[in-house]
Amino acid sequence: MRSSIRGAGAAAAATALVVVVAGSWFGFQQLAQPACSGKIELSVAAAPEVAPAIQSAAAQWVSDGAAVGGTCIAVNVAASDSVDVAAAVASKHGARLAGVGQASGTAVTPDVWVPDSSTWLLRLKTGGAAAFAPGNGASIARSPVVVAVPEPVAEARFGWPEKKVTWIDLLRQVSSDKPIRAGIVEPTQDAAGLSGLLSMTAAASGSGGDAQKATTGALRALATGRSALRQDLLARFPRSTDPTAVASGLGAAALSEEDVIAYNQTKPPIPLAALYLEPSPMPLDYPYAVLPGIEPAKASAARVLYELLTTPGFRNRLAAQALRAPDGNWGDGFKAPQGAPSPAGGAKTVPPAGGTAAGGLDPVAIERAVSSWSIATQSGRMLCVIDVSGSMKEPVASANNASRAQVTVAAASRGLGLFDDSWSIGLWTFSTRLIGNQDWREIVPIGPLSSQRGKLEQGLGSVKPSKGDTGLYDTMLAAYKAVQDEWEPGRVNSVVLFTDGQNDDDDGISQTQLLSELKRLADPEKPVQVVIIGIGGGVNKAELEAITKVTGGGNFVTEDPSKIGDIFLKAIALRPNAPR
C-alpha cells in the first residue's frame, strides 16, 4: 500500500479540525462575518502525502475569518492510505477488489475522498459498485510515476542522466543474463505499482514473439521482488556504497516522483535517480471525490473546499510536499529530480477547473492487469470443468464465428499460461451421459502443473462439444466432492465451472437435492470455493447463485462469449486468500 516516508508530515495531518464555510471561496471575504454559530462536520480522507497541503490550506482559510450565513463548518482532514479507504467503500457498496481484502471493522467512509489515483474510483465501479458515482472527481495534484534506480546503477545500466530510457529498455535489463533486481509494491494495493505494472506488461506484450510468454515472464520477474508495504520496498535499496551491496540491493522499482524526492531528502548513502520512462506511465492524479449520499449542506461545503484547492496558492503548498499541480507544473520551492520534465515550459498557472482526473484510463486494461497479476502471484488447487453440451457448438459472431467451446478453451489456455508450477490443476468435461449414465468425464486428474502442464494443454485441445444436454447438478456435486476429498491446507481449493445453459438432465438429482448435499458436505475447516462462469443468454443466473450461496465463491455471467477470457481471469483473481 502507499505510505509516505515523511512520517512527520503524515502525522501532522492525521487528524486536523479546522473551521471553514459553506459558501464560495472567491466571495468569502465579502461575506465574512465576525462570528458563526452551529456546525456542519465535513470529513475528508486524503492520501498521506497530500493531506498536509489540504490541512494547511483549510487552516489558513479559518485564520482569514471565513464564514457564510452564520454557519460554521468543521473539516476533519485525515491522512488515510488509499487502499484502506477503498476497502471501506467497497464494503459499503458491495464491490469486490482483487487483492484489497476486507475493510477493518472500524472503517468509516468519509464525505470527501482524495485517493492518490483515479484508478481506485475506476476499480470500484468495475468491481461491482454499480451505484458508486462520486461527484466532482477532478484532479487537485499530480506526481509522475517514475522508475527509481540507485544512481550508480542508473549510470552504468541505463546511461542516466543523458540517455532517454524506454520500458523496453527496462524489460531487457530485468530479463538479461545479469538481471537488475526489480521490485514493486503490491499493485493490487498500490497505485504507483499498478501504473508500473501496466507499462511493463504493455512493453512485454508489444516486444514481438510470444506476447503472453513475455508478459508472464515480466509478471513473475516483478513478483519475485514485490513488497506489501512501500517502506519495506524502500528499505531494500542499497544502504552502502560497497559494490557488493549495490549489486545485491534493489535495482529498480516503480515509485512516484514524490517518493523519490522524499527518499533522497533523508540523505541516503546512495541517492535514487528518477527515470522518466517512455511512453510515460499513468501518473498519480489525486482526484477530489465527493462520495455519494452526503447531505446537501456537506455537499455545499465540499464544493467550497474544492475551490480553495484550485487557487494558485495551493500549488505552493503542494510544492512543499514534493507534489505538482494538476497540469504537471510545480509551485515555488519544488526541488525536481534531475531530468524531471516540466510541461508547458514551466508556466506557473493552474487550470481553473483544477485539472481532469481519470482521463484516458482503460478499465478493461486495468482490470486485466490486476487479474493477471493476482493469478501469476498466487497459488492454488483447482478443478476446471467445461460444458461440452450440444449448445457449445454455437458460433460466436464477436469471436470470428469460433464456437462457444473454442472460445472457452482459449480462455482456459490463456489462464493456464499465467499459472506457475506451484498450482495443482485438473480438467473435466460434462454434458449428459458421457460415460454410461455419468454426466462428466475426467480428462486430467488434479495434479501439480510442474509435472502435467503438457497433459493439460493436450486435454484442452481435445475438448469437443457432444450431442448431449447440460447435466449441471450431478456434475457440480461430483466435482465438489472430488476437490474436497483431497483438500490441501494453505491453498485455495476450488471448482471453476464453465457452462452456457441450465440443468436439463431429467435423470439426475434435483436442485433441492444438490443444495441439500452441498450444505451437508460443507466443512468450514476444508472450504471449497465454487466459481461458475455462465456464457450466453441460456444461463439461469438464479440457479447459479443458489449454488455459490451455499459453497462460497461466486458466479460471473456474460451475454457475450467473446469476453469469457477476461471474466475467467477476474473470477480467479477474486477468490479469497487461503485459510491459515
Side-chain angles (χ1 to χ4, degrees):
M1 65 182 68
R2 276 194 58 79
S3 180
S4 175
I5 60 175
R6 296 196 214 153
T15 304
L17 192 65
V18 297
V19 179
V20 297
V21 297
S24 170
W25 162 250
F26 299 109
F28 91 94
Q29 292 285 8
Q30 289 74 31
L31 298 173
Q33 298 175 3
C36 61
S37 61
K39 183 173 69 174
I40 298 171
E41 295 188 359
L42 183 72
S43 62
V44 180
E49 61 274 21
V50 76
I54 297 173
Q55 175 204 354
S56 63
Q60 181 63 53
W61 194 358
V62 173
S63 68
D64 288 339
V68 170
T71 303
C72 306
I73 298 176
V75 178
N76 184 6
V77 182
S80 306
D81 282 323
S82 298
V83 65
D84 295 335
V85 181
V89 175
S91 177
K92 180 177 181 179
H93 291 273
R96 300 170 68 190
L97 304 182
V100 168
Q102 299 296 315
S104 67
T106 59
V108 178
T109 57
D111 300 316
V112 176
W113 181 27
V114 185
D116 54 10
S117 171
S118 291
T119 56
W120 289 112
L121 308 180
L122 192 61
R123 288 181 64 193
L124 283 162
K125 191 72 175 178
T126 58
F132 181 69
N136 197 323
S139 171
I140 64 164
R142 175 175 293 235
S143 189
V145 170
V146 301
V147 173
V149 181
E151 287 188 356
V153 178
E155 292 170 350
R157 302 291 288 263
F158 295 101
W160 176 85
E162 290 81 13
K163 184 181 177 182
K164 289 185 177 181
V165 184
T166 68
W167 287 95
I168 292 290
D169 294 330
L170 177 62
L171 183 63
R172 288 175 183 147
Q173 292 290 350
V174 167
S175 56
S176 69
D177 293 338
K178 295 181 179 180
I180 285 180
R181 297 167 65 91
I184 193 170
V185 184
E186 184 66 46
T188 58
Q189 301 182 17
D190 182 85
L194 176 57
S195 177
L197 176 67
L198 285 165
S199 291
M200 180 71 101
T201 54
S205 63
S207 60
D210 188 332
Q212 176 160 326
K213 183 177 180 181
T215 300
T216 303
L219 290 172
R220 291 181 182 152
L222 292 173
T224 58
R226 73 185 186 274
S227 296
L229 298 175
R230 180 165 301 269
Q231 297 97 316
D232 294 343
L233 184 78
L234 291 166
R236 290 165 47 206
F237 281 113
R239 306 297 296 178
S240 166
T241 56
D242 178 74
T244 302
V246 174
S248 61
L250 183 63
L255 296 169
S256 73
E257 180 184 69
E258 181 269 340
D259 286 318
V260 173
I261 295 173
Y263 181 86
N264 287 341
Q265 284 176 343
T266 66
K267 306 296 182 183
I270 298 181
L272 295 178
L275 303 188
Y276 296 81
L277 270 59
E278 297 178 349
S280 298
M282 175 179 61
L284 302 187
D285 62 345
Y286 302 92
Y288 185 89
V290 181
L291 298 190
I294 70 171
E295 58 191 77
K298 288 186 177 183
S300 297
R303 285 194 296 271
V304 179
L305 179 59
Y306 169 71
E307 290 180 3
L308 173 63
L309 304 182
T310 62
T311 59
F314 185 66
R315 181 173 54 188
N316 294 335
R317 298 185 191 279
L318 292 173
Q321 303 302 316
L323 293 170
R324 300 173 180 233
D327 63 353
N329 289 293
W330 51 71
D332 296 337
F334 183 88
K335 296 180 180 178
Q338 187 171 1
S342 176
K348 296 184 177 181
T349 58
V350 177
T356 302
L361 297 184
D362 182 350
V364 174
I366 290 172
E367 192 168 271
R368 186 177 295 156
V370 168
S371 298
S372 298
W373 171 265
S374 297
I375 293 171
T377 58
Q378 65 180 226
S379 181
R381 180 171 175 270
M382 181 180 78
L383 176 58
C384 179
V385 185
I386 297 178
D387 188 344
V388 291
S389 60
S391 56
M392 291 291 283
K393 297 176 183 178
E394 290 189 16
V396 179
S398 55
N400 295 321
N401 288 320
S403 69
R404 288 180 176 179
Q406 289 172 322
V407 170
T408 301
V409 167
S413 297
R414 176 181 165 196
L416 183 63
L418 288 171
F419 300 133
D420 68 19
D421 286 349
S422 67
W423 281 76
S424 290
I425 297 179
L427 175 65
W428 287 12
T429 58
F430 79 101
S431 178
T432 50
R433 301 178 183 84
L434 287 183
I435 302 177
N437 289 327
Q438 180 176 297
D439 292 343
W440 65 93
R441 174 182 285 118
E442 181 181 81
I443 306 300
V444 181
I446 301 174
L449 270 181
S450 57
S451 61
Q452 64 177 34
R453 188 180 293 271
K455 291 180 181 178
L456 281 162
E457 291 172 346
Q458 291 176 2
L460 285 169
S462 71
V463 172
K464 299 290 187 297
S466 69
K467 296 180 180 179
D469 295 321
T470 306
L472 176 62
Y473 294 160
D474 282 1
T475 301
M476 177 55 68
L477 182 59
Y480 189 92
K481 288 179 177 178
V483 173
Q484 190 181 61
D485 285 347
E486 298 182 13
W487 190 90
E488 292 185 16
R491 312 177 83 179
V492 177
N493 292 253
S494 60
V495 176
V496 177
L497 183 144
F498 298 84
T499 183
D500 73 339
Q502 52 191 301
N503 185 73
D504 53 10
D505 180 9
D506 295 334
D507 297 328
I509 61 174
S510 67
Q511 183 184 49
T512 300
Q513 289 172 315
L514 170 66
L515 299 181
S516 176
E517 274 296 287
L518 290 175
K519 288 177 183 177
R520 184 184 66 80
L521 292 168
D523 182 350
E525 297 298 319
K526 295 182 177 181
V528 175
Q529 296 289 321
V530 173
V531 175
I532 307 177
I533 301 174
I535 311 163
V539 175
N540 185 331
K541 189 172 183 180
E543 181 180 65
L544 306 186
E545 288 177 345
I547 295 170
T548 56
K549 185 177 180 180
V550 174
T551 62
N555 55 82
F556 302 80
V557 178
T558 176
E559 293 284 337
D560 183 358
S562 68
K563 295 180 180 178
I564 197 68
D566 287 331
I567 288 177
F568 176 50
L569 297 183
K570 180 179 180 180
I572 302 301
L574 287 174
R575 299 181 318 160
N577 293 328
R580 297 189 182 278

